[in-house]
Amino acid sequence: AGHIRLPRYARGKWGQVVRDHGLFALQDTDETGRRGGDFRQHVYTVRFSAQVLWGSQGGERDSVFVDLWEGYLEPV
């Protein structure tokens, strides 16, 4: 529900965090209505295997890298 910057094709998929870019002010309003200036989160680059995203149609050696806010990630 609502606008997020997590691509639909990556939602609920397993990926590997490959870089922590540090803390940044969240640009969107979060679920409690606070604005980004007082709500800081880490931004991570996450690597997704193309086969995890698209099954057998994904290239065996291909990957997609997506920069994501910490709040979009779930620990495994």
Side-chain angles (χ1 to χ4, degrees), residues 26-74:
L26 183 64
Q27 298 301 308
D28 298 327
T29 302
D30 74 3
E31 65 275 359
T32 63
R34 293 182 295 185
R35 293 303 301 172
D38 63 348
F39 190 70
R40 296 169 57 85
Q41 288 189 12
H42 281 266
V43 175
Y44 298 101
T45 297
V46 181
R47 177 192 167 274
F48 294 92
S49 159
Q51 290 188 333
V52 165
L53 298 176
W54 296 294
S56 62
Q57 292 182 329
E60 188 176 306
R61 298 183 305 174
D62 295 334
S63 298
V64 175
F65 293 82
V66 183
D67 291 335
L68 299 172
W69 296 98
E70 181 176 15
Y72 297 162
L73 305 178
E74 296 180 18

